[in-house]
Amino acid sequence: MTPGECTRAAAVVGANGAIGSRLAAALRRSGVPVLPFTRQEPAVRDGVPSPSLLATRTVFYLASGITPGAVERAEADRAAFTELLDGLSRAGHRPTVMLTGSGGTVYDPRAAPPYAEDAPARPSGAYGAAKLRMEEELLSRAGAVRPVVLRLANVYGPRHGGPGGYGVVARWLEAVAEGRPLRLFGDPDVGRDYVYVDDVVRAMATVHAMGPDKDLPAVLNIGSGTPVSLNRLLGVVGDVIGRRPAVERHPPRPYDRPTVWLDTGLARAALGWHAVTPLYTGVARIWHTMTAHRNGSTPRGSASGGLVSGGSVPGGSARDIPRDGMTWPES
């Protein structure tokens, strides 16, 4: 890698994952050198960072494997992230380190939404607490790295390789495709903030494009800024598939919260960013990808080279962001 490439390079830790795979592809299409790290090719071995990691302007940490319903990996995830931060500190490398947080679970549910970044943080469950601990690990090292936490709302989008994934959108469409009733947990009027993955990737790419000399807030909310009830989401799914799906009602799960949505004004001010993908459009893209996979065809916008317009990725030539993803966290 040349010195010029080093000043522009980005490391994606978790490059085979849901958002990481899309981010790496989007950055490459914009001409950004990308250094992918996976479980097979880790960023840190025995406390020593990969030499290539020390030649990057931005380190995107997207390797967490916990979900609201499965937090067994929380301590291992925190330890791995701490090892990476300590390795960068010892090496004297001070990149921007971007961590994905949970906008849907870290804020105090006793406060009324929408939640801005300065709203009280008081997770009501183990998932939110684990995500907040990782934020604290990063923010406590502000002298050694440049921390940026993107607190994501409920990210959704199509995935490469077939149906599946976390989150109500993917699970409901899977159920439709398999002829099963949709499972609706809790109050159908409870709202969530759904943000399409292309919009999330665009925010991340903007963080990289702004470079190391640009002062950014340490924490930014990334969401649509609009609450959508389960009832409304059910209507959108019905519009996309062309019929009202069967619904199976269930009581709320222990980790389900009241209505949550994010104030994204700071991201607009600091990054010039806002979500642009309408909910119907995003759900329709997932359904298109899912049905094409089940029919054995390659959907337009898949990894074979198709693109979906969604705005250019900053920091390079104007390119569209690829459409296919893997699995999606539910914040």
Side-chain angles (χ1 to χ4, degrees):
M1 189 177 292
T2 67
E5 288 176 324
C6 291
T7 62
R8 296 185 297 112
V12 179
V13 183
N16 285 344
I19 300 173
S21 58
R22 298 181 69 98
L23 175 63
L27 291 171
R28 288 190 183 106
R29 293 180 188 280
S30 294
V32 175
V34 175
L35 301 169
F37 293 98
T38 64
R39 290 180 184 175
Q40 292 71 38
E41 295 292 335
V44 179
R45 291 183 186 272
D46 300 322
V48 179
S50 165
S52 59
L53 187 69
L54 305 180
T56 56
R57 184 165 87 188
T58 308
V59 177
F60 294 96
Y61 194 83
L62 304 168
S64 178
I66 62 174
T67 70
V71 295
E72 297 85 0
R73 289 181 48 86
E75 186 55 34
D77 280 0
R78 188 195 64 78
F81 185 51
T82 300
E83 184 182 39
L84 181 143
L85 294 174
D86 289 345
L88 292 173
S89 299
R90 286 192 296 270
H93 184 46
R94 191 169 185 263
T96 297
V97 176
M98 193 227 75
L99 173 72
T100 54
S102 170
T105 62
V106 301
Y107 293 113
D108 190 341
R110 297 174 299 182
Y115 298 111
E117 290 82 355
D118 59 357
R122 184 178 175 271
S124 57
Y127 176 76
K131 299 295 279 186
L132 192 60
R133 282 194 296 271
M134 291 186 71
E135 286 189 20
E136 291 166 350
E137 293 285 1
L138 175 59
L139 297 176
S140 69
R141 292 166 171 78
V145 299
R146 297 179 182 89
V148 176
V149 177
L150 299 187
R151 286 179 178 166
L152 307 183
N154 289 59
V155 185
Y156 73 104
R159 71 186 279 261
H160 177 55
Y166 304 120
V168 64
V169 177
R171 287 175 178 165
W172 278 7
L173 291 176
E174 271 187 357
V176 170
E178 295 171 2
R180 295 182 284 106
L182 313 188
R183 297 200 298 168
L184 193 158
F185 291 91
D187 184 354
D189 291 324
V190 164
R192 292 288 182 267
D193 187 333
Y194 299 100
V195 60
Y196 193 67
V197 65
D198 286 358
D199 293 326
V200 174
V201 166
R202 186 163 44 84
M204 293 176 175
T206 303
V207 169
H208 177 78
M210 300 189 90
D213 299 324
K214 176 68 174 180
D215 288 332
L216 291 175
V219 179
L220 289 167
N221 285 336
I222 301 297
S224 71
T226 303
V228 174
S229 71
L230 290 172
N231 261 336
R232 183 186 164 206
L233 181 61
L234 184 62
V236 170
V237 169
D239 289 344
V240 167
I241 68 174
R243 65 184 185 277
R244 178 80 174 183
V247 177
E248 186 180 90
R249 296 289 301 273
H250 294 269
R253 296 159 297 189
Y255 52 83
D256 287 332
R257 287 181 43 136
T259 293
V260 176
W261 82 95
L262 303 181
D263 181 335
T264 59
L266 188 57
R268 184 185 288 266
L271 302 178
W273 176 92
H274 66 282
V276 299
T277 307
L279 183 63
Y280 177 92
T281 300
V283 173
R285 288 175 184 167
I286 302 174
W287 183 241
H288 171 71
T289 301
M290 190 176 291
T291 53
H293 173 82
R294 288 179 177 275
N295 293 333
S297 61
T298 301
R300 180 180 176 274
S302 73
S304 61
L307 299 173
V308 58
S309 60
S312 60
V313 178
S317 58
R319 306 281 181 152
D320 287 332
I321 298 173
R323 193 184 289 178
D324 24 51
M326 290 187 182
T327 57
W328 307 103
E330 185 168 2
S331 296

